[in-house]
Amino acid sequence: MALYNFKKITVVPSAKDFIDLTLSKTQRKTPTVIHKHYQIHRIRHFYMRKVKYTQQNYHDRLTQILTDFPKLDDIHPFYADLMNVLYDKDHYKLALGQINIAKNLIDNVAKDYVRLMKYGDSLYRCKQLKRAALGRMCTIIKRQKQSLEYLEQVRQHLSRLPTIDPNTRTLLLCGYPNVGKSSFINKVTRADVEVQPYAFTTKSLFVGHMDYKYLRWQVVDTPGILDHPLEDRNTIEMQAITALAHLRAAVLYVMDVSEQCGHSLEEQVELFRNIKPLFANKPLIIVANKCDVKRIAELPEESQKIFESFEAEGFSVIETSTLTEEGVIQVKTEACDRLLAHRVDTKMKGNKVNEVLNRLHLAMPTKRDNKERLPFIPEGAVARKKRMEVDTPRRKLERDLEVEMGDDYVLDLQKYWDLMNASEKYDKIPEIWEGHNILDYIDPDIMRKLEELEKEEELREAAGEYDSEPESEDEEMMEIRQLAKQIREKKKLKILQSKEKDTRGPRMPRTAKKANIYLTVFLQVQRKVLEKEMTELGLDMTNKDDAHYVRRSRSVTRKRKRDESETPKSVARSRSSSRPPRDVSGLRDEKMVKKVKTMAKKAQKKMNRLGRKGEADRHIFDLKPKHLLAGKRKSGKTQRR
Amino acid sequence: AKKMIGLKAKLYHKQRHAEKIQMKKTIKMHEKRNTKEKNDEKTPKGAVPAYLLDREGQTRAKVLSNMIKQKRKEKAGKWEVPVPKVRAQGETEVLKVIRTGKRKKKAWKRMVTKVCFVGDGFTRKPPKYERFIRPMGLRFKKAHVTHPELKATFCLPILGVKKNPSSPLYTQLGVITKGTVIEVNVSELGLVTQGGKVIWGKYAQVTNNPENDGCINAVLLV
């Protein structure tokens, strides 16, 4: 089902705008800088890109236009006919055909010039070719000026057409101009169609929507039709005829009984007879409008006979007056009912129903005894239904109560509880936690007791009971307190000192201090400083040779047993408290040091000879050397190369 | 007046400039219409009073100069062409050297870089032996031919290349450059000789550089 949303068609630009748009887009979106000395393939690519980009843009835009505009063969025949009436089918198809041709021409131009550009051997030549290609494409578009203008106008008009759904329930109003069709639709729906005393006020179709029996109905208002043969009809009348011909709707033929529209009753009847073929298979109602001016009963005999003949033929005639709204509802209900019945009939006769009917089966229970079992409708439902029709006042709501009581209002939901014993509604419910009733643990006097306690405490505080006593501490505590105070002070001083310390020079790691001989002396001195400070503070620092901060020589710590070595003589004895350098660490004596050195050198020889970066470097610079793999012995299995 | 910047501004200003020129011209013409001017052409060399003026002499002079022109034309030769002087195209410009061989050392092949025409029944020589390569992308069959008097342009099929002014080699190869005389099929125009025979081939001279424009524009030699 094609979309009836004609509002989504892209804007069709005018020829001049189209050209400007595309060319400026090409200029903005493709690279702009190129020089003579660039390589020729780069120059070619640059200009080819521009040609292709322009072609792509034109192609895309034109394709979008072609796809957005509805194809007259794909949409509902009502819309196809309407568009034919309004825009002329041939012109429309031609315009779109021209656009299609233009698109193909542009593609061909681009193809040709891109092919030619491959032979361009200078910047000037490529540039001229690009200029010629773009110029040609723009000329093609310039030639389509008329088609583009026409399509833009069609698009604008199309987007303003009323959205009439041809498949849903519709009521169609038709008749002479000025008989009251637009007034009718204004009364029945929310549409606001212009109503004026001159003929052809309504120049196109209008749609209004209304509700009936919980369904949505469309009411279509048409321009008036005059009585002349089909060929003589103008565009406005043809729209009405199209609607009559294609929409499966209930037709309301509106007649002006009072002949205020300017046409006599006989003319109206004549028109009716002429367009009767269009009413085939549609429920028809004849609406005798403007009955407030003249009723049918007041008409002369011949006119009354006309209406009687209508009745005889089976068309119901209803008198209405859009001014006094008499009969309007009646027309609506009758038309809707008849249309619904008609639609149901059509569906029953159609093919789709059979598929469903075969599968539908209404099961009736078999009677097992003679007892009558009627359907049960609760009283409340019946009463409600009755009330809906009569509109009795409803029961009093909480809101009403609230409004009444104002500030005193308290929401009391307990009154709605449905208990066996109505007097228990306002009883207190016990609160239980972990098997205990909370109420048991509440002291009724607790608030009073709390107050008394607080008063007592205040008195005590005022009396000074909670002030701390200085004499309660013994000697030990006093000492400890004093020491702690001293330590705190010293700590603060030290922090200040370290902040002021001037850290110039590189910060050596901790181990470096040990390797440095001057540093070791300094650190030894530091031990003395430390001990002195601590004694100042009052600590006993006499037997502190085993303390952790004392630097020990190696002989004190090591105790390992080794064979085939000289007497234990540490190589770094000269500096007993320093750390040995890395190349002699872990070695006992000179002999071992020498051996280790030669081993290291030997291991390095192969690596250096092969020019390797390290042990793990296995890179081969020349995997397939030519002198080995060329010549007579090049391929195949050869054990020696 | 709109305020614009960039490329759009340039285009717009160009348009406005052209419009302004036109407007100025029309305004000037209107102004001239109401005044009387001295027309230098009408006064003869020797100052003669107005009542002795011989206007016929003037017209006669025009006729004379026309006659002189015609005589000169007849002297010059039968074929006067719309584009008489053409820049000669050297071989390096028209033919590009193609290197072939295993080591790309052989340079005896040439490729034509200009637009060319090959006949209907054209088949290439075996690729190993062809010396001049005329690429398919540069082969054209149709030309846009303008009739100088009718001022109408037709797209006519080319029958052959008659003469290329730069070199007879190019004529033989069928290279079409500016100034080349080509033969076109004019049966579309429906020309008829005095004897009643239908003319279907005529010469035309190429007026543009086809390799730059991608099409061959020519003027019919009537």
Side-chain angles (χ1 to χ4, degrees):
Chain A
M1 179 174 126
L3 46 74
Y4 296 112
N5 188 8
F6 296 136
K7 303 182 200 296
K8 289 232 182 94
I9 307 179
T10 45
V11 178
V12 180
S14 73
K16 188 165 164 299
D17 284 341
F18 200 2
I19 293 171
D20 283 342
L21 201 83
T22 314
L23 287 181
S24 73
K25 198 165 178 194
T26 310
Q27 198 248 334
R28 277 179 296 128
K29 303 278 185 180
T30 50
T32 49
V33 179
I34 190 87
H35 292 294
K36 251 200 315 199
H37 58 79
Y38 285 179
Q39 292 184 314
I40 189 66
H41 68 86
R42 200 170 151 187
I43 296 176
R44 276 192 208 136
H45 179 77
F46 175 86
Y47 284 113
M48 272 201 262
R49 185 172 168 177
K50 288 196 188 272
V51 171
K52 279 197 233 175
Y53 188 82
T54 314
Q55 179 249 328
Q56 190 67 44
N57 271 332
Y58 275 132
H59 182 99
D60 286 342
R61 200 69 191 254
L62 292 172
T63 331
Q64 185 153 52
I65 292 174
L66 285 172
T67 44
D68 276 351
F69 272 92
K71 275 213 260 278
L72 290 179
D73 305 322
D74 285 346
I75 54 180
H76 193 274
F78 165 64
Y79 275 106
D81 234 357
L82 192 65
M83 283 175 72
N84 184 14
V85 164
L86 291 168
Y87 317 126
D88 189 13
K89 188 166 73 164
D90 294 331
H91 195 175
Y92 180 80
K93 279 189 171 176
L94 267 172
L96 287 177
Q98 293 280 358
I99 300 284
N100 196 18
I101 292 174
K103 184 182 74 157
N104 289 334
L105 285 175
I106 287 175
D107 289 344
N108 286 338
V109 162
K111 204 160 44 141
D112 285 336
Y113 277 87
V114 162
R115 190 163 28 114
L116 266 176
M117 223 182 275
K118 290 187 201 151
Y119 298 102
D121 46 8
S122 68
L123 183 129
Y124 178 73
R125 196 156 150 187
C126 292
K127 187 171 180 180
Q128 294 298 97
L129 283 168
K130 161 237 175 199
R131 189 164 163 261
L134 295 196
R136 259 187 135 153
M137 288 192 243
C138 294
T139 322
I140 294 172
I141 295 295
K142 242 197 300 187
R143 286 208 304 256
Q144 304 305 323
K145 187 166 149 201
Q146 306 278 7
S147 303
L148 291 168
E149 267 178 26
Y150 168 76
L151 284 173
E152 174 61 16
Q153 289 185 351
V154 166
R155 179 196 80 89
Q156 282 183 1
H157 196 271
L158 209 50
S159 67
R160 297 201 178 100
L161 282 184
T163 43
I164 302 176
D165 186 358
N167 297 325
T168 183
R169 303 156 285 272
T170 323
L171 299 179
L172 197 55
L173 296 160
C174 59
Y176 258 92
N178 255 350
V179 292
K181 304 185 286 294
S182 304
S183 321
F184 187 85
I185 192 176
N186 282 344
K187 277 280 168 309
V188 170
T189 68
R190 280 203 64 180
D192 196 11
V193 185
E194 216 187 314
V195 175
Q196 295 282 351
Y198 60 85
F200 289 107
T201 318
T202 312
K203 291 190 255 293
S204 63
L205 301 172
F206 284 94
V207 191
H209 295 275
M210 64 179 201
D211 292 320
Y212 178 75
K213 280 196 182 159
Y214 307 107
L215 293 168
R216 238 2 2 196
W217 295 75
Q218 280 179 142
V219 184
V220 177
D221 180 23
T222 65
I225 322 171
L226 295 172
D227 190 17
H228 36 227
L230 193 63
E231 300 81 41
D232 297 347
R233 296 205 181 277
N234 60 24
T235 319
I236 304 177
E237 293 173 336
M238 278 308 291
Q239 290 183 57
I241 301 288
T242 314
L244 266 176
H246 290 284
L247 293 175
R248 295 184 307 147
V251 180
L252 301 172
Y253 184 74
V254 185
M255 296 181 69
D256 184 356
V257 184
S258 65
E259 298 181 5
Q260 270 187 355
C261 60
H263 303 277
S264 71
L265 215 54
E266 288 75 33
E267 286 179 0
Q268 298 186 38
V269 173
E270 196 50 41
L271 174 67
F272 178 78
R273 302 271 170 228
N274 282 341
I275 61 176
K276 204 156 160 218
L278 288 170
F279 297 154
N281 281 353
K282 298 189 174 92
L284 172 69
I285 294 180
I286 298 186
V287 179
N289 203 11
K290 304 196 191 170
C291 68
D292 54 314
V293 179
K294 209 170 199 183
R295 302 208 78 89
I296 293 185
E298 297 166 18
L299 284 174
E301 277 292 318
E302 309 86 49
S303 319
Q304 286 203 19
K305 275 213 203 96
I306 297 169
F307 285 107
E308 278 159 30
S309 65
F310 281 149
E311 296 262 358
E313 285 174 35
F315 307 126
S316 50
V317 179
I318 303 176
E319 282 194 325
T320 62
S321 167
T322 50
L323 213 59
T324 61
E325 295 193 36
E326 172 197 337
V328 170
I329 308 278
Q330 201 188 347
V331 168
K332 175 175 136 183
T333 44
E334 168 130 12
C336 294
D337 289 334
R338 283 182 56 185
L339 183 64
L340 273 176
H342 179 80
R343 279 171 77 97
V344 168
D345 274 338
T346 332
K347 277 184 191 158
M348 290 295 288
K349 284 186 215 152
N351 288 330
K352 273 193 189 169
V353 200
N354 288 334
E355 296 168 22
V356 187
L357 270 181
N358 289 340
R359 288 182 251 157
L360 282 178
H361 168 66
L362 185 62
M364 297 296 288
T366 48
K367 284 187 179 279
R368 57 169 183 201
D369 54 21
N370 287 331
K371 192 171 174 187
E372 270 293 316
R373 291 184 177 85
L374 296 163
F376 175 70
I377 302 168
E379 267 180 42
V382 174
R384 225 221 187 116
K385 199 167 178 196
K386 234 190 264 173
R387 250 188 302 149
M388 264 174 62
E389 289 158 21
V390 182
D391 197 33
T392 47
R394 47 176 211 281
R395 61 162 214 273
K396 191 166 192 185
L397 300 172
E398 283 292 326
R399 175 79 183 138
D400 300 332
L401 257 183
E402 189 184 347
V403 164
E404 258 177 53
M405 292 170 64
D407 278 341
D408 306 329
Y409 174 69
V410 170
L411 177 63
D412 180 24
L413 289 171
Q414 287 169 328
K415 67 182 176 217
Y416 292 117
W417 287 357
D418 188 17
L419 301 169
M420 294 212 340
N421 194 351
S423 61
E424 287 173 358
K425 272 190 195 172
Y426 290 97
D427 284 356
K428 291 205 192 316
I429 304 170
E431 293 175 29
I432 298 176
W433 180 67
E434 291 207 349
H436 307 291
N437 193 344
I438 294 177
L439 215 57
D440 292 342
Y441 292 86
I442 295 177
D443 188 355
D445 290 338
I446 188 136
M447 290 309 292
R448 188 179 57 83
K449 284 187 190 166
L450 185 66
E451 275 188 39
E452 281 179 21
L453 201 63
E454 279 190 357
K455 266 191 238 150
E456 212 185 299
E457 279 300 312
E458 273 176 32
L459 289 170
R460 278 209 193 155
E461 239 184 285
E465 210 178 295
Y466 294 115
D467 296 342
S468 54
E469 286 170 18
E471 294 92 44
S472 61
E473 288 178 342
D474 58 340
E475 287 276 328
E476 256 185 59
M477 277 308 292
M478 297 283 290
E479 264 184 43
I480 290 172
R481 276 200 201 285
Q482 211 200 9
L483 259 174
K485 201 166 151 197
Q486 276 180 333
I487 290 173
R488 259 183 253 134
E489 273 182 35
K490 262 284 161 147
K491 225 181 174 178
K492 281 191 192 140
L493 277 173
K494 274 220 172 274
I495 289 170
L496 284 172
Q497 261 179 21
S498 82
K499 279 191 185 155
E500 288 168 22
K501 194 164 56 172
D502 191 17
T503 50
R504 252 191 284 159
R507 294 191 66 127
M508 303 290 286
R510 193 166 42 92
T511 48
K513 291 184 196 160
K514 293 179 184 169
N516 192 339
I517 190 172
Y518 300 105
L519 214 48
T520 47
V521 170
F522 174 66
L523 286 171
Q524 273 196 325
V525 167
Q526 250 203 353
R527 176 191 170 184
K528 290 209 177 61
V529 167
L530 176 73
E531 291 190 345
K532 186 171 130 222
E533 281 195 337
M534 283 298 139
T535 41
E536 268 181 31
L537 284 176
L539 279 172
D540 180 25
M541 301 292 275
T542 43
N543 297 346
K544 290 291 180 183
D545 282 332
D546 284 328
H548 67 285
Y549 54 82
V550 174
R551 304 224 177 270
R552 274 167 230 151
S553 53
R554 299 183 62 85
S555 50
V556 183
T557 47
R558 284 299 142 101
K559 265 186 185 41
R560 257 189 286 184
K561 284 231 183 313
R562 281 281 170 86
D563 1 291
E564 47 108 350
S565 79
E566 288 177 292
T567 52
K569 196 172 71 166
S570 165
V571 183
R573 247 332 136 151
S574 53
R575 317 180 221 137
S576 57
S577 63
S578 64
R579 196 180 259 211
R582 254 197 260 157
D583 60 346
V584 300
S585 74
L587 303 169
R588 284 186 297 279
D589 46 20
E590 290 246 9
K591 191 170 148 202
M592 220 177 178
V593 171
K594 252 196 223 162
K595 186 166 179 188
V596 158
K597 283 208 165 104
T598 41
M599 277 175 77
K601 287 215 173 92
K602 272 202 182 154
Q604 292 232 336
K605 266 192 202 155
K606 185 172 180 189
M607 277 198 310
N608 290 345
R609 184 167 43 89
L610 294 175
R612 299 225 179 273
K613 282 186 236 158
E615 290 176 346
D617 182 16
R618 285 190 290 270
H619 179 248
I620 304 172
F621 287 95
D622 194 358
L623 252 187
K624 296 200 198 162
K626 191 171 172 184
H627 67 284
L628 296 176
L629 298 168
K632 288 185 187 165
R633 296 180 69 224
K634 60 178 182 218
S635 55
K637 207 169 67 154
T638 307
Q639 286 180 341
R640 290 187 324 274
R641 284 205 180 273
Chain B
K2 287 188 257 186
K3 183 172 173 150
M4 290 190 190
I5 50 169
L7 186 65
K8 278 195 185 162
K10 279 192 193 165
L11 292 170
Y12 176 68
H13 288 319
K14 202 158 84 162
Q15 240 183 334
R16 277 293 287 168
H17 188 59
E19 279 172 25
K20 268 191 175 170
I21 292 171
Q22 283 299 334
M23 261 202 308
K24 281 189 183 162
K25 270 192 188 166
T26 43
I27 291 171
K28 257 209 169 146
M29 270 167 45
H30 278 293
E31 283 173 6
K32 261 194 193 171
R33 189 175 46 134
N34 299 330
T35 59
K36 291 184 190 158
E37 268 185 353
K38 186 171 94 162
N39 198 346
D40 284 326
E41 290 164 35
K42 288 200 175 164
T43 51
K45 284 272 163 75
V48 179
Y51 55 88
L52 287 177
L53 205 81
D54 196 5
R55 285 201 200 122
E56 280 188 57
Q58 201 213 337
T59 49
R60 237 185 288 143
K62 210 173 176 187
V63 168
L64 265 173
S65 65
N66 270 347
M67 274 170 38
I68 292 171
K69 276 187 196 167
Q70 278 244 332
K71 281 205 181 136
R72 274 198 212 140
K73 265 194 213 173
E74 280 165 19
K75 271 194 207 166
K78 285 273 168 176
W79 308 109
E80 24 106 301
V81 281
V83 189
K85 285 194 194 148
V86 171
R87 190 177 73 87
Q89 322 250 352
E91 242 197 41
T92 43
E93 204 184 321
V94 177
L95 301 169
K96 182 180 153 197
V97 177
I98 305 279
R99 292 186 163 272
T100 51
K102 191 173 187 182
R103 288 175 180 77
K104 304 281 184 224
K105 274 199 327 192
K106 303 180 166 211
W108 54 272
K109 284 191 179 234
R110 299 280 182 277
M111 184 173 87
V112 173
T113 59
K114 307 278 179 184
V115 161
C116 50
F117 172 77
V118 296
D120 257 349
F122 172 76
T123 21
R124 292 163 64 191
K125 275 162 82 162
K128 187 167 175 187
Y129 300 111
E130 68 178 340
R131 199 191 305 186
F132 293 101
I133 302 172
R134 280 164 278 186
M136 272 175 77
L138 289 174
R139 292 185 204 161
F140 276 65
K141 288 194 207 156
K142 290 202 164 194
H144 305 302
V145 182
T146 316
H147 197 288
E149 270 142 46
L150 298 174
K151 305 272 188 235
T153 315
F154 307 93
C155 190
L156 305 172
I158 304 175
L159 292 171
V161 173
K162 172 74 181 166
K163 181 154 181 69
N164 191 314
S166 306
S167 156
L169 171 67
Y170 303 154
T171 315
Q172 222 176 10
L173 283 175
V175 172
I176 299 179
T177 55
K178 183 169 180 178
T180 313
V181 176
I182 56 175
E183 196 177 352
V184 287
N185 182 345
V186 294
S187 48
E188 201 182 291
L189 300 175
L191 302 168
V192 182
T193 56
Q194 294 243 330
K197 294 204 188 132
V198 176
I199 303 174
W200 70 284
K202 259 191 166 303
Y203 292 130
Q205 192 181 26
V206 176
T207 52
N208 74 328
N209 285 318
E211 69 274 4
N212 286 348
D213 297 332
C215 56
I216 305 175
N217 296 343
V219 165
L220 202 61
L221 302 174
V222 280

